Amino acid sequence: MVQDAAGRGYHPGMRAAAIPPIDLGGDTRLLVMTGSGISAESGLATFRGAGGLWEGERVEAVATPEAFAADPARVWRFYGTRRAAAAVAVPNAAHLALAATEARLGDRFLLVTQNVDGLHAAAGSRHVIELHGSLWRSRCSRCRAAPVEDRSADVSPPLPTCPACDRPPARPALMRPDIVWFGESLNPASQEAVGQFIDDAALAGARLVFLAIGTSGNVWPAAGYVRYAAEAGAETWLANLDPALNEGWFDHVVAGPATQVVPALLGVT
Ligand code: BV8
């Protein structure tokens, strides 16, 4: 049994109905951050699930600019399989509960995700900050042309090149998934949007709730957002199946499957 700071008890398998909802009344602001665990019950592999390996190599080693430079066809094969899996995945009750909560709270709500699967948008969430990019876009690996929508799951040689850069004698530039790889910085606009939401709540003197869902707290800077929110006075919650690396930084920890825990915590029946 896991006790939260208020001594309330949550234990795996606890009937969702018994999980009291988080108070989101008044001018309460809610900042939600999701990880791959929220999409597990939609059939998508998590990073630490399956040992975090792809073709026997750590995903963190495939999802890097170095891996793409060394063998772009292999990295495209990796993202082709991820696209194929995500293309048939359906949003689950946890994704849907977040979309319903956005509709209820309006701009008192912000959803930030580490996921690139697009299931939040598919569930009806309208304003999603995709911290680590999206499977469904590609961009040039050299120029700063805007990313383009790209749903092709079979990306095999000859690999796609950038139409803007395809001007001999310049060497053609390969297209790459519009995803933030390990060792690459996040889009500053994403980080700013999170900071702005937290600062606005503090400025308004509003109660701020930070809820992390389905994330192991391994990957930075996302793993540190709970500290940033807590420093701004937020009440912090983690809804996760297994213990997380950063769970000690949360006021409340609810252990259980997202499709049961998230609708209960958000009061979505
Ligand atoms: C950067 C896109 C500047 C790719 C991703 C500080 C300390 C240590 C390391 C670093 C640090 N700062 C920077 C680093 C390096 C690195 C990093 O964090 N490395 C880790 C591995 C140690 N960070 C970066 O490189 C970042 N860039 O910092 O730039 C810089 C640059 C160079 C050097 C210094 C600074 C970029 C990070 C983004 C990388 N891209 N995704 C792709 O998807 O292919 S990250 C990727 O992995 C995902 O997007 C996600 O963010 C992460 C996986 O984490 P989770 O989603 O949490 O998944 P995980 O499997 O770990 O856990 C799932 C959880 O769900 C589990 O706990 C499980 O219990 C739970 N679960 C399972 N089923 C369910 C469930 N929960 C509920 N219900 C269920 N049914």
Side-chain angles (χ1 to χ4, degrees):
M1 162 106 85
V2 175
Q3 292 266 338
D4 70 16
R8 283 180 295 195
Y10 305 89
H11 49 78
M14 185 176 183
R15 270 177 321 98
I19 297 175
I22 301 172
D23 169 10
L24 297 172
D27 189 24
T28 300
R29 315 293 173 89
L30 176 61
L31 174 59
V32 176
M33 181 173 72
T34 61
S36 57
I38 198 172
S39 297
E41 294 164 89
S42 294
L44 296 183
T46 64
F47 273 63
R48 252 127 290 271
L53 298 177
W54 185 76
E55 288 189 355
E57 187 168 307
R58 292 179 55 71
V59 168
E60 279 97 346
V62 181
T64 64
E66 295 78 17
F68 188 73
D71 186 347
R74 182 161 182 273
V75 173
W76 264 121
R77 211 168 46 249
F78 171 57
Y79 284 101
T81 53
R82 304 262 306 275
R83 282 181 175 171
V88 295
V90 177
N92 61 50
H95 297 107
L96 296 168
L98 290 171
T101 303
E102 179 185 32
R104 175 178 149 215
L105 299 188
D107 56 19
R108 293 197 286 123
F109 176 90
L110 181 64
L111 174 56
V112 181
T113 187
Q114 299 171 72
N115 302 342
V116 295
D117 56 34
L119 288 181
H120 285 302
S125 287
R126 294 167 41 164
H127 184 43
V128 185
I129 307 274
E130 295 177 310
L131 280 180
H132 297 158
S134 170
L135 276 174
W136 307 120
R137 293 189 303 267
S138 295
R139 64 181 166 86
C140 176
S141 58
R142 185 195 301 154
C143 79
R144 308 186 77 66
V148 294
E149 177 156 357
D150 179 1
R151 306 188 75 88
S152 53
D154 170 20
V155 185
S156 42
L159 297 176
T161 58
C162 170
C165 287
D166 221 349
R167 291 204 186 85
R171 241 172 355 88
L174 286 178
M175 293 296 278
R176 55 165 282 176
D178 183 30
I179 281 188
V180 180
W181 282 330
F182 290 91
E184 294 185 323
S185 301
L186 275 58
N187 176 341
S190 307
Q191 308 241 71
E192 259 145 50
V194 175
Q196 195 61 52
F197 187 83
I198 292 173
D199 296 349
D200 288 353
L203 280 173
R207 176 166 164 266
L208 173 65
V209 173
F210 176 84
L211 169 62
I213 302 167
T215 184
S216 65
N218 264 280
V219 172
W220 288 77
Y225 283 3
V226 57
R227 299 294 293 267
Y228 186 19
E231 275 147 27
E235 185 185 305
T236 56
W237 294 72
L238 173 66
N240 207 52
L241 197 60
D242 309 299
L245 261 186
N246 60 352
E247 82 173 34
W249 293 337
F250 288 85
D251 301 318
H252 311 285
V253 177
V254 186
T259 57
Q260 292 187 33
V261 171
V262 174
L265 286 176
L266 297 176
V268 175
T269 47

